[in-house]
Amino acid sequence: MQRHMGIRKFSLHCCFLAAALAAGFLASGALAADQAGVAGGVVGKVSVSEGERPAPAVVTSGMPMLMRDRVQTEAAGRMQVLLVDETVFTVGPDSDLVIDEFVYDPAAGTGRLTANFTKGVLRYVSGKVAAAGSENVTIKTPTATIGVRGTALFLISVPGATDGSQFAGLLGPGDKNNGNLKAGGMTVRSGDTSTDVLRAGFGVFLTPGQDVGAAVQTPPEIVQALASNLTGAVPSESESGEDGGEDSSSSDSGSSDSGEGDADMAVGDADEASGQDTADAGIDAGDVAAVATALDDAGEGSGLAAADGAGNSSSDLVREVARAGIAGGGLETPSTEGALPSGVPIEDLVVLTWSNISDLDLHLTGPNASGPGRFHVYYADDGVFAAFPFALLDDDNGASPGENSGEIIGISNYVLGATTPYRVTVFNYSDRDDDSSTRLSDPAHNLRLRTIEDGMLSRGPGGTTVVGGIAGHDVRPPAGVVGHTWTVLDYNPNTDVVTIINRIDNAHDDGFGVTID
């Protein structure tokens, strides 16, 4: 039986730029007649053709997306289509998507959306059009039609299949999510048959020439393929068997067309801002600038760059949301390569984020598998993920002045039957000799510790992102307290109970005899 630190259930993936993009568009309530949205998070080779375009074009971040555009990604390509109503399509490698119809009235909050997805990998997160009515959004595949009730779903070509089979899966949120969001669902129709999928983590196989079957739990190989295609680094041209080419937007490092971005470390916050999970890979600072510029350029003469009421232009809004990461949820970590596996769910992640302190350290202590004493995972002993202590520090990071940072410990299993709990502690190594330091308790440093169940790590050129998973506990230190040791929480796997301690002092100890420094 699996046991987890995380207990609050929420599983919705959404690009944190969508809300800001919508704010920029909706400030005027107008778009060019043939513009449905903009491109963002462009990685590698992506082209657009057909519809209103006189010729095929290479897609760049910030580029207007038009009605009936056909988006095609190559083996080293990935992007997002960000629509004005906050709908987000994330298109993976070797994929083909057409936005057939998009009509939206921002004043009434109503509209229609129809998309045609032929092959590859697609994740859809619904916006305001779907919220107004389940009949308003339809996604077509070669073998089926999907009626979207909301809120997040995916389509993927079945790995290894030669007959064009696909799998349509529901991502959530569930009916007990803590973001006050409508429960997700979809109706999949093929011929005269239909299947309702109402439970996150379930879906249906779509096989040419066959009726749609009953909903099944999403197979592990589908989950892994989805994660690796949408959040992992895309293969370079040499890895994918393509020739060198001259497209400067292609990169095996995941760089956008700007080449300058820093990826955010974003962990889902179901209970903050709009209630949407902010975790998403592939959006970097270069994309933010490109999208913001596109909004402002489009607004000249048409009001798209109108202020939001506080004097902020659309570019200001985009940059502000990207910088804040939605209520402080998005903080970068400089590590692009770490010890933990990426692209696969990890049972529990303990995530520490902060800003403008040169060296904080995340510590995990717990009972030995046999005999007395305790294990200690920290910068001097990274731990082991696949054997005892079944816990591993991803990387030892620091923050330069004015920068954000973070550290992550992943846990794959727990020791049962012990009399002492697992304990999570944070130590201010920068001030280890200063017993009067208050930097741990200073809100200006944005300290925050979170637990995420079944989250996945995605490596980008500017850092590591925690993608998806179920948000657990979210702890911030008490303000105005002296000390360099922050004892955060205990976890007892025997009872599956988490106890929040949230104490700052100068103990240099985990409370069970292990030195913390």
Side-chain angles (χ1 to χ4, degrees):
M1 179 176 130
Q2 288 188 331
R3 296 175 181 271
H4 301 274
M5 285 190 188
I7 60 172
R8 295 186 298 166
K9 297 188 175 180
F10 184 79
S11 174
L12 166 64
H13 303 279
C14 183
C15 168
F16 64 78
L17 280 179
L21 288 167
F25 283 131
L26 297 183
S28 67
L31 273 175
D34 58 352
Q35 184 176 354
V38 296
V42 179
V43 177
K45 286 190 173 181
V46 183
S47 63
V48 63
S49 61
E50 301 182 7
E52 304 299 319
R53 297 185 186 274
V58 174
V59 179
T60 58
S61 292
M63 177 178 176
M65 300 304 297
L66 309 180
M67 288 285 296
R68 295 174 295 281
D69 268 346
R70 182 180 184 185
V71 175
Q72 293 176 293
T73 61
E74 298 191 10
R78 183 170 68 223
M79 73 165 295
Q80 291 179 320
V81 180
L82 312 170
L83 302 185
V84 65
D85 76 320
E86 301 179 31
T87 294
V88 182
F89 288 97
T90 304
V91 186
D94 197 22
S95 300
D96 194 322
L97 171 72
V98 178
I99 307 296
D100 287 322
E101 179 186 32
F102 178 67
V103 179
Y104 178 55
D105 179 354
T110 58
R112 296 187 307 279
L113 171 60
T114 303
N116 198 313
F117 179 70
T118 305
K119 66 170 185 173
V121 187
L122 177 74
R123 186 175 70 211
Y124 161 90
V125 177
S126 61
K128 291 183 172 62
V129 167
S134 59
E135 71 282 356
N136 296 335
V137 179
T138 301
I139 300 176
K140 299 177 181 178
T141 77
T143 59
T145 299
I146 301 173
V148 178
R149 303 183 186 184
T151 295
L153 59 87
F154 71 91
L155 282 157
I156 186 170
S157 296
V158 175
T162 59
D163 60 355
S165 294
Q166 296 176 311
F167 187 87
L170 185 65
L171 291 169
D175 58 359
K176 295 182 180 180
N177 71 83
N178 69 336
N180 296 319
L181 298 176
K182 181 179 178 181
M186 62 182 178
T187 299
V188 185
R189 298 180 180 86
S190 179
D192 296 328
T193 63
S194 68
T195 298
D196 289 332
V197 182
L198 304 176
R199 184 177 176 184
F202 282 71
V204 293
F205 283 97
L206 307 176
T207 305
Q210 298 183 18
D211 291 339
V212 60
V216 298
Q217 188 167 5
T218 304
E221 61 270 20
I222 296 291
V223 175
Q224 293 181 12
L226 179 71
S228 62
N229 279 283
L230 290 187
T231 64
V234 296
S236 65
E237 293 176 19
S238 60
E239 291 170 333
S240 61
E242 301 171 9
D243 7 8
E246 298 181 358
D247 183 352
S248 62
S249 67
S250 178
S251 170
D252 60 352
S253 67
S255 299
S256 73
D257 52 295
S258 69
E260 297 291 336
D262 289 324
D264 280 337
M265 176 178 176
V267 180
D269 294 309
D271 53 352
E272 294 197 43
S274 63
Q276 293 176 325
D277 183 312
T278 60
D280 212 318
I283 298 293
D284 62 22
D287 294 325
V288 172
V291 173
T293 299
L295 286 173
D296 286 342
D297 289 346
E300 293 180 5
S302 65
L304 278 181
D308 66 350
N312 297 314
S313 70
S314 54
S315 61
D316 294 328
L317 288 166
V318 173
R319 292 188 180 100
E320 184 61 29
V321 171
R323 184 164 53 247
I326 301 294
L331 297 177
E332 69 181 22
T333 175
S335 173
T336 59
E337 294 182 3
L340 289 168
S342 60
V344 296
I346 295 175
E347 180 165 338
D348 276 319
L349 292 169
V350 181
V351 182
L352 172 69
T353 52
W354 76 90
S355 62
N356 203 31
I357 301 179
S358 61
D359 197 354
L360 294 187
D361 292 312
L362 180 61
H363 295 250
L364 176 70
T365 62
N368 281 329
S370 60
R374 291 172 68 78
F375 72 80
H376 186 188
V377 173
Y378 68 124
Y379 65 87
D381 186 351
D382 293 348
V384 181
F385 192 66
F388 182 80
F390 301 101
L392 184 63
L393 174 69
D394 194 54
D395 205 356
D396 177 28
N397 293 321
S400 300
E403 291 185 350
N404 304 316
S405 192
E407 290 189 0
I408 303 171
I409 291 177
I411 303 169
S412 63
N413 209 342
Y414 291 96
V415 176
L416 299 179
T419 58
T420 57
Y422 286 70
R423 175 159 285 186
V424 176
T425 308
V426 176
F427 186 74
N428 180 2
Y429 192 86
S430 297
D431 297 338
R432 60 191 180 279
D433 297 323
D434 181 4
D435 288 349
S436 64
S437 174
T438 58
R439 288 208 285 183
L440 279 178
S441 61
D442 186 346
H445 295 301
N446 301 309
L447 264 73
R448 188 176 189 181
L449 188 134
R450 282 167 280 185
T451 61
I452 305 294
E453 176 187 329
D454 294 330
M456 294 179 287
L457 301 188
S458 175
R459 314 290 187 186
T464 297
T465 303
V466 179
V467 180
I470 301 171
H473 294 274
D474 187 338
V475 187
R476 299 174 190 265
V481 180
V482 172
H484 40 50
T485 306
W486 179 26
T487 305
V488 186
L489 60 82
D490 282 352
Y491 175 60
N492 185 339
N494 301 306
T495 59
D496 208 20
V497 171
V498 173
T499 302
I500 304 299
I501 300 172
N502 202 16
R503 179 182 68 242
I504 292 178
D505 53 29
N506 287 310
H508 284 275
D509 190 283
D510 77 336
F512 299 99
V514 176
T515 299
I516 302 294
D517 60 13

